[in-house]
Amino acid sequence: MKRFKSTFAALALGTAIALTGIASSDFSFIATAQAAPSKAADLRLALNELLSEHVTLAAAATQAALRGRKSEFEAAAGALDMNSQDIAGAIGSVYGKDAGDAFLPLWRKHIGFFVDYTTGKATGSKKKQDKAVKDLLQYATDFGAFLNSATPALPRDAVADLVKMHIVSLKDVVDAQAARDYKLAFEKIRAASHHMQMIADPLADAIAAQFPDKFAAK
Amino acid sequence: MLVRIALAAFISSVSIAPACADDAVKVDIKLFQFKPKELVVKPGTTVTWTNGDAIEHSVTAGAPGKPTEAFDSGYFTKGGSYAHTFQAPGSFNYFCKRHPNMHAVVKVE
């Protein structure tokens, strides 16, 4: 059901992109993406890899944190931050270094909120968990606004909805890990990882449409 | 000669001169950044910030956790603007309350 909802949201985003910013004649990027190998396809692949890796590393970090394995947590958190820097680098390569520099602290912020949520689970503090969820939901709007600013064809609220689903999907992972329900935890990790495609694909397509010269076929 | 003219034109185009008090000085807020990040103006200059992001931002004097009373726009949304006139010389750091990583400075001299 959640998978369906994610797919629906991504389709809604795709439709919104079509309705809000991109004239029908501008859909040449689709043909470009199909004519693999192309830079547009490379971009889509890179974003999918980076965002999927984000989920995997975040789940490794939360699991280590919940079990109090400090050195493992620090290593996972370090790898997760390298992934964050790579994502910011990708953003910077498209929108400019300043945009990448502005994106990195924004992206790191949501990881901090997840650390708060995980700490709340580990300590049994419902108040801390609720605060973290509230911060994460506000963050989703910020993230939507950032991408809308960078690529006006990406509607803020549609992006925010997809990010909210990302937040819920990772929260499900942490909840299952905290409950030591590992079968469920890995199912949720897979679901959260797959969901990132719902963000990466429309983002890559919108960027390719916005910068046709940059993402033309090789 | 042509080289000298070209060089002079280049130098004049890249030099950063403080804005005159009569100038309309604008700062864009875009992609969660204040642009320009550093501004030099003369006393009496009015600076206007315009929000180009689809989210609330503020222009708040001071630093995150240490705001001053020099000026504070409160939150304003996309398309909205806020203006402040800098009368006294000094260096005025400011930031966005919602997004503390956004910070910049106006130098009045």
Side-chain angles (χ1 to χ4, degrees):
Chain A
M1 186 60 183
K2 277 182 182 165
R3 174 78 174 163
F4 170 76
K5 279 185 183 172
S6 292
T7 307
F8 182 78
L11 285 171
L13 178 57
T15 307
I17 290 166
L19 291 175
T20 55
I22 307 169
S24 58
S25 59
D26 290 331
F27 276 90
S28 54
F29 71 87
I30 293 173
T32 303
Q34 286 168 346
S38 72
K39 289 179 183 173
D42 289 347
L43 173 68
R44 182 187 275 236
L45 185 64
L47 287 176
N48 269 286
E49 280 181 356
L50 286 170
L51 293 177
S52 179
E53 183 183 272
H54 163 68
V55 168
T56 307
L57 294 173
T62 53
Q63 170 67 5
L66 285 165
R67 300 295 164 255
R69 298 193 295 259
K70 191 170 176 247
S71 60
E72 185 183 332
F73 169 74
E74 286 172 354
L80 183 59
D81 195 61
M82 287 168 73
N83 168 264
S84 296
Q85 291 175 50
D86 288 347
I87 293 171
I91 292 289
S93 72
V94 174
Y95 300 116
K97 189 183 176 301
D98 284 354
D101 290 346
F103 178 85
L104 184 56
L106 185 70
W107 182 259
R108 279 176 172 156
K109 207 165 149 184
H110 98 285
I111 293 171
F113 294 147
F114 258 107
V115 170
D116 294 343
Y117 182 76
T118 307
T119 307
K121 285 301 273 190
T123 58
S125 168
K126 182 81 170 56
K127 191 178 169 188
K128 201 172 180 71
Q129 291 170 44
D130 291 345
K131 167 80 166 55
V133 169
K134 190 180 164 197
D135 288 341
L136 282 162
L137 293 177
Q138 179 174 299
Y139 164 82
T141 309
D142 284 352
F143 189 87
F146 184 92
L147 284 187
N148 171 258
S149 242
T151 297
L154 291 169
R156 183 192 78 168
D157 292 343
V159 174
D161 283 347
L162 283 170
V163 174
K164 281 175 190 168
M165 284 181 209
H166 164 58
I167 289 163
V168 170
S169 68
L170 262 190
K171 179 182 168 297
D172 288 347
V173 170
V174 177
D175 290 347
Q177 289 173 331
R180 295 177 187 270
D181 186 341
Y182 296 119
K183 184 174 181 294
L184 181 64
F186 279 100
E187 283 173 15
K188 295 297 182 185
I189 290 169
R190 290 194 72 212
S193 188
H194 291 161
H195 173 260
M196 297 315 281
Q197 187 181 2
M198 304 303 165
I199 297 175
D201 283 357
L203 176 58
D205 291 349
I207 289 171
Q210 185 180 4
F211 303 104
D213 294 344
K214 224 176 207 180
F215 295 98
K218 284 176 181 170
Chain B
M1 184 61 183
L2 276 175
V3 173
R4 277 187 189 171
I5 292 169
L7 192 60
F10 175 74
I11 290 169
S12 79
S13 70
V14 296
S15 61
I16 302 166
C20 298
D22 293 337
D23 285 351
V25 178
K26 294 178 179 177
V27 175
D28 289 324
I29 304 175
K30 185 79 177 163
L31 271 173
F32 290 58
Q33 299 161 78
F34 295 109
K35 292 183 174 180
K37 196 169 181 179
E38 183 177 322
L39 194 62
V40 181
V41 300
K42 291 195 169 177
T45 302
T46 298
V47 178
T48 302
W49 288 263
T50 302
N51 186 357
D53 287 334
I55 198 86
E56 299 85 0
H57 289 303
S58 81
V59 175
T60 305
K66 291 180 184 173
T68 69
E69 292 181 352
F71 53 90
D72 184 7
S73 65
Y75 290 121
F76 57 111
T77 54
K78 187 172 185 175
S81 61
Y82 166 73
H84 178 77
T85 302
F86 291 87
Q87 301 290 4
S91 185
F92 298 89
N93 292 304
Y94 64 93
F95 67 104
C96 169
K97 284 190 285 192
R98 178 164 173 161
H99 310 102
N101 288 302
M102 291 174 60
H103 49 83
V105 63
V106 176
K107 291 179 178 173
V108 185
E109 53 192 39

